[in-house]
């Protein structure tokens, strides 16, 4: 076999070389002319082959020791590793334009006027997303047909070692070095490799070949008719009818979802029903697009409105002029269990009737009714099932399980509530179980125990319960009261009422309907100097001495005269009086400020500002006062005896130990406590405290340890009568004296004090002690 000279081999491969004396051959530049010469073996006659500047080429393979064909293959891989790099058109991804909103069509407006509801067009929301991108980086299907603009990645190995990307030209060909032009247009993707292997095999032997599609061509198609965004679209060569519909935004509100056509060369290739695609994913009518294809969206066909008791109320398009009701219901998911099968309403339009073109039909939703047809303009209303129970009795209120229970013939109240335990509410056990969550004994107190005992269990009103019954014939509700205790505990036939289906039995608590005191559980809190302090349950009408006796009596250190009895109802009344006085004070301050501002000179405005600030501070202190709810027992301080006062639920009794001091505060030089001396009077303690020059001695208050207040009668006398007798009043342990200052008639403090009839009434109405008065004064 004759061996070709290396120069001849390189020339056949399209690599021109120049020989220089004593040098290695230099490769010609890889120009388009050189490439064409490589393909045809002849340089174009009209143009001379351009030669690159002489440079030493280091990238040529070593061909020595190789056979001719091996040398050709090795040179092919080296010389053409960069030849044919694909230049197929990339599919540009322009910014997605916002789709125009779907404007309501005439039928939608008609339904809105008739029902007051805006029904959507079924299936059109499928195209609302604007993020659908053209198909590009997806696997190429086997039936894809290669065409101009596609890139083919070709890999050869074995006797030939090469990898290249070749672009199909407008003639449908690719040019393989040494092999020449190969027509590939019209070849399916799954047949491409076989065809190329046959063509390359005409030149080379003992090789393997792999051919895949790289970047694909783009094609131009048209979307016309009742489209949401009609126009020309440049899409991927992989695009299909459905994918292009998504890319273009689908039909407009007036366009059809069921008769979309793909037209090619004037012929309808396929007709797409998008309802089939939505419901079952059927793509049998889908087709791959070719350049110049036209997607035609015709006007929508007949439409019906479906609303009422169905999952997808909407306006549906019919494929034919009339369709069975069952077929249309299948689009919305079919009948569900909450739709009554007994009746549906169909409002129909008959435009032939000029006077009354609308009519209403009733249809059942049985097998026969579902086969009846609907037509263009129909409005079908599915009715929900009735909420009525056929065999239920409802138990509600203060019960363990407020539920609907199954009615049985002959059922009575005692059957519904078989035992008193059925009236213990579930949260009782939850609150009871939460008691063990306190890890420290510091969280336990008499107040907490009293609250737990009182509020842990909701008491039942055993005397009254009610049955609510509907009289269907009269269409009215009848209330049947009964005695719950006699019905459940005694099984009294007169109260153990016989029930009927639909009855509602209500069980009340004592907080729902207040009951007499003797029928309530009552608890009081007893603390201080008694033998056994604690929380005691009292009987109706039980008195203070009786409860103290049950607690073991008084201790040796008890100071009965200063017993503090607080009551919630009294506290509420006292707080109401205090709030009323606060509002009056606020009104007085406002009117006084307005009056002074009108009549004041510029020089007086500075003092008025200071006075206004003081008034606001006083008002804030008054707002912070809280009534105590204390009841003065008015016992004899020398020989105290507890009054036979009937106690109430929630009363708190605290018996303190006997103190050794009396207090003096207010306009005195020494606001302090003094050791009590049996012979000392009010005057003695005033002298010891030292009244100031501004002290108003005729307005001194004596606040007894039992909560009562004695006022100096001299403050109500023009001549000051009564002061002498007041200062001679003896003082007892725990008593306090309050010495006010002479009142400034211009201040809000004066007006507030004058708002009460006297100091004594101030303390009585508000339940304020010495500490409260100190807060007010400061």
């Amino acid at each position: 076999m004759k061996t070709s000279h290396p120069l001849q081999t390189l020339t056949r491969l399209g690599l021109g070389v120049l020989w220089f004396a004593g040098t290695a051959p230099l490769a010609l530049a890889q120009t388009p002319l050189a490439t064409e010469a490589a393909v045809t073996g002849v340089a174009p006659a009209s143009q001379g082959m351009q030669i690159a500047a002489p440079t030493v080429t280091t990238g040529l393979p070593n061909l020595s020791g190789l056979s001719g064909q091996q040398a050709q293959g090795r040179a092919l891989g080296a010389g053409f590793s960069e030849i044919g790099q694909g230049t197929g058109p990339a599919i540009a991804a322009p910014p997605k334009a916002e789709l125009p909103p779907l404007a309501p069509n005439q039928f939608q407006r008609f339904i809105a006027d008739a029902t007051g509801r805006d029904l959507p067009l079924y299936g059109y929301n499928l195209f609302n997303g604007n993020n659908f991108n053209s198909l590009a980086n997806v696997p190429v299907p086997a039936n894809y047909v290669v065409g101009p603009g596609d890139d083919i990645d070709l890999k050869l190995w074995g006797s030939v070692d090469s990898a290249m990307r070749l672009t199909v030209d407008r003639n449908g060909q690719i040019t393989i070095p040494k092999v020449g032009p190969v027509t590939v247009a019209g070849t399916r993707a799954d047949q491409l490799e076989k065809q190329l292997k046959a063509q390359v095999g005409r030149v080379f032997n003992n090789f393997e070949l792999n051919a895949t599609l790289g970047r694909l061509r783009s094609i131009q198609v048209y979307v016309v008719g009742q489209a949401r965004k009609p126009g020309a679209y440049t899409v991927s060569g992989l695009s299909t009818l459905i994918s292009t519909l998504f890319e273009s935004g689908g039909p407009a509100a007036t366009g059809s979802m069921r008769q979309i056509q793909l037209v090619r060369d004037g012929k309808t290739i396929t007709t797409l029903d998008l309802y089939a695609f939505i419901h079952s994913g059927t793509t049998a009518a889908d087709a791959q697009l070719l350049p110049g294809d036209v997607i035609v969206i015709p006007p929508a066909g007949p439409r019906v409105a479906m609303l009422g008791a169905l999952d997808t109320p909407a306006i549906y398009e019919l494929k034919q002029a009339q369709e069975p009701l069952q077929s249309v219901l299948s689009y919305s998911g079919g009948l569900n269990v909450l739709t009554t099968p007994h009746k549906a309403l169909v409002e129909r339009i008959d435009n032939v009737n000029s006077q009354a073109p609308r009519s209403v039909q009733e249809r059942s939703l049985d097998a026969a009714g579902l086969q009846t047809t609907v037509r263009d303009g129909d409005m079908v209303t599915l009715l929900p099932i009735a909420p009525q129970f056929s065999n239920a009795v409802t138990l509600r209120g203060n019960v363990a399980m407020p539920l609907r229970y199954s009615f049985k013939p002959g059922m009575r109240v005692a059957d519904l509530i078989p035992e008193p335990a059925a009236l213990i509410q579930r949260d009782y056990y939850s609150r009871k179980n939460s008691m063990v969550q306190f890890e420290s004994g510091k969280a336990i107190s008499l107040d907490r125990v009293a609250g737990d005992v009182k509020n842990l269990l909701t008491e039942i009103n055993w005397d009254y319960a009610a049955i609510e019954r509907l009289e269907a014939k009269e269409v009215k509700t009848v209330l049947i009261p009964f005695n719950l205790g006699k019905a459940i505990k005694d099984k009294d036939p007169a109260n153990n009422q016989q029930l009927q289906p639909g009855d509602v039995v209500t069980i009340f608590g004592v907080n729902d309907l207040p009951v007499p005191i003797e029928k309530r559980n009552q608890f009081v809190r007893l603390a201080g100097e008694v033998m056994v302090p604690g929380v005691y349950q009292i009987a109706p009408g039980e008195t203070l001495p009786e409860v103290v006796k049950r607690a073991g009596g008084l201790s040796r250190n008890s100071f009965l005269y200063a017993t503090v009895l607080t009551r919630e109802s009294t506290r509420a009344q006292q707080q109401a009086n205090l709030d009323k006085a606060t509002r009056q004070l606020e009104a007085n301050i406002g009117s006084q400020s307005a009056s002074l501002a009108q009549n004041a000179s510029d020089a007086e405005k500075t003092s008025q500002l200071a006075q206004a600030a003081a008034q606001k501070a006083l008002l804030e202190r008054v707002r912070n006062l809280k009534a105590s709810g204390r009841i003065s027992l008015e016992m004899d301080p020398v020989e105290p005896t507890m009054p036979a006062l009937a106690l109430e639920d929630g009363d708190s009794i605290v018996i303190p130990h006997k103190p050794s001091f009396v207090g003096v505060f207010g306009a005195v030089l020494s606001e302090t406590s003094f050791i009590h001396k049996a012979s000392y009077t009010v005057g003695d303690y005033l002298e010891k405290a030292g009244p100031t020059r501004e002290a108003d001695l005729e307005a001194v208050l004596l606040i007894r340890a039992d909560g009562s207040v004695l006022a100096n009668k001299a403050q109500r006398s023009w001549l000051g009568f009564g002061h002498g007798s007041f200062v001679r009043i003896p003082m007892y342990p725990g008593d306090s004296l309050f010495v006010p200052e002479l009142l400034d008639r211009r201040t809000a403090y004066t007006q507030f004090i004058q708002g009460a009839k006297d100091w004594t009434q101030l303390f009585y109405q508000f339940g304020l002690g010495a500490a409260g008065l100190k807060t007010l004064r400061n």
Side-chain angles (χ1 to χ4, degrees), residues 682-695:
V682 170
D684 296 330
Y685 285 108
L686 285 176
E687 289 298 325
K688 291 176 71 69
T692 64
R693 185 171 55 183
E694 294 82 11

Side-chain angles (χ1 to χ4, degrees), residues 436-778:
V436 300
Q437 297 176 2
F438 297 100
E439 300 177 358
S440 172
K442 295 180 181 179
I444 304 299
S445 64
L446 272 182
D447 290 336
R448 177 168 178 79
V449 171
D452 288 343
V453 171
K454 180 67 179 175
N455 301 318
L456 194 61
L457 179 65
T458 302
E459 296 182 52
I460 299 298
N461 186 339
W462 290 101
D463 296 330
Y464 181 85
I467 300 172
E468 179 184 336
R469 179 172 296 165
L470 174 65
E471 291 290 350
K473 293 182 179 180
E474 301 293 333
V475 193
K476 66 178 182 179
T477 300
V478 178
L479 195 65
I480 305 172
F482 63 94
N483 187 294
L484 180 63
K486 293 181 180 180
I488 297 177
K489 298 176 182 178
D490 304 334
K491 304 296 189 293
D492 178 20
N495 291 280
N496 190 15
Q497 295 282 337
Q498 188 168 356
L499 301 176
Q500 296 181 8
D503 282 353
V504 178
V505 180
T506 304
I507 308 301
F508 297 95
V510 295
N511 296 326
D512 301 325
L513 291 174
V515 298
I517 293 178
E518 59 267 18
K519 295 185 178 181
R520 287 175 173 264
N521 288 331
Q522 301 183 79
F523 300 91
V524 297
R525 174 179 174 269
L526 183 59
E529 296 298 323
V530 293
M531 300 307 294
V532 187
V535 177
Y536 290 86
Q537 185 171 358
I538 60 174
E542 191 168 2
T543 62
L544 176 60
E546 293 172 342
V547 174
V548 172
K549 183 179 180 181
R550 287 171 54 194
L554 303 173
S555 68
R556 291 183 302 172
N557 298 321
S558 63
F559 187 38
L560 186 60
Y561 174 70
T563 299
V564 179
L565 171 62
T566 56
R567 179 168 292 172
E568 177 58 28
S569 58
T570 303
R571 187 206 64 77
Q573 183 60 46
Q574 291 173 346
Q575 189 64 46
N577 294 336
L578 181 59
D579 294 341
K580 182 178 179 180
T582 302
R583 292 191 296 270
Q584 182 63 40
L585 173 62
E586 186 175 9
N588 290 343
I589 289 176
S591 61
Q592 183 189 41
S593 299
S595 176
L596 292 176
Q598 292 177 354
N599 302 320
S601 62
D602 293 340
E604 293 175 337
K605 288 184 178 180
T606 302
S607 61
Q608 287 184 8
L609 291 175
Q611 183 178 344
Q615 289 172 343
K616 291 181 179 179
L618 170 65
L619 181 60
E620 189 63 29
R621 290 196 297 271
V622 172
R623 283 199 182 106
N624 292 332
L625 291 176
K626 299 298 179 184
S628 65
R630 182 176 182 181
I631 298 175
S632 177
L633 298 180
E634 301 180 354
M635 290 184 281
D636 189 327
V638 179
E639 295 182 359
T641 302
M642 284 184 290
L645 177 67
L647 298 177
E648 293 183 4
D649 182 36
D651 283 353
S652 175
I653 304 105
V654 179
I655 302 176
H657 64 277
K658 188 173 183 179
S660 302
F661 302 94
V662 294
V664 183
F665 62 97
V668 294
L669 298 175
S670 177
E671 282 189 313
T672 186
S673 296
F674 299 93
I675 298 175
H676 174 258
K677 294 183 179 180
S679 60
Y680 272 33
T681 63
V682 170
D684 296 330
Y685 285 108
L686 285 176
E687 289 298 325
K688 291 176 71 69
T692 64
R693 185 171 55 183
E694 294 82 11
D696 188 355
L697 296 179
E698 293 183 354
V700 175
L701 294 177
L702 172 58
I703 306 170
R704 290 295 193 188
D706 68 344
S708 60
V709 181
L710 296 179
N712 193 342
K713 296 181 180 179
Q715 65 174 325
R716 296 190 296 271
S717 172
W718 288 99
L719 301 177
F721 294 136
H723 180 68
S725 60
F726 178 76
V727 297
R728 291 192 295 272
I729 295 176
M731 292 189 67
Y732 302 101
D735 289 352
S736 297
L737 286 175
F738 170 62
V739 183
E741 295 179 354
L742 289 170
L743 298 179
D744 182 357
R745 300 295 177 182
R746 295 172 301 170
T747 66
Y749 181 76
T750 301
Q751 296 183 9
F752 176 66
I753 298 302
Q754 290 178 340
K757 293 181 180 178
D758 53 40
W759 288 91
T760 308
Q761 185 173 359
L762 176 70
F763 277 78
Y764 170 75
Q765 287 182 338
F766 303 155
L768 301 178
L773 191 54
K774 287 182 180 179
T775 301
L776 179 63
R777 175 175 161 270
N778 294 331

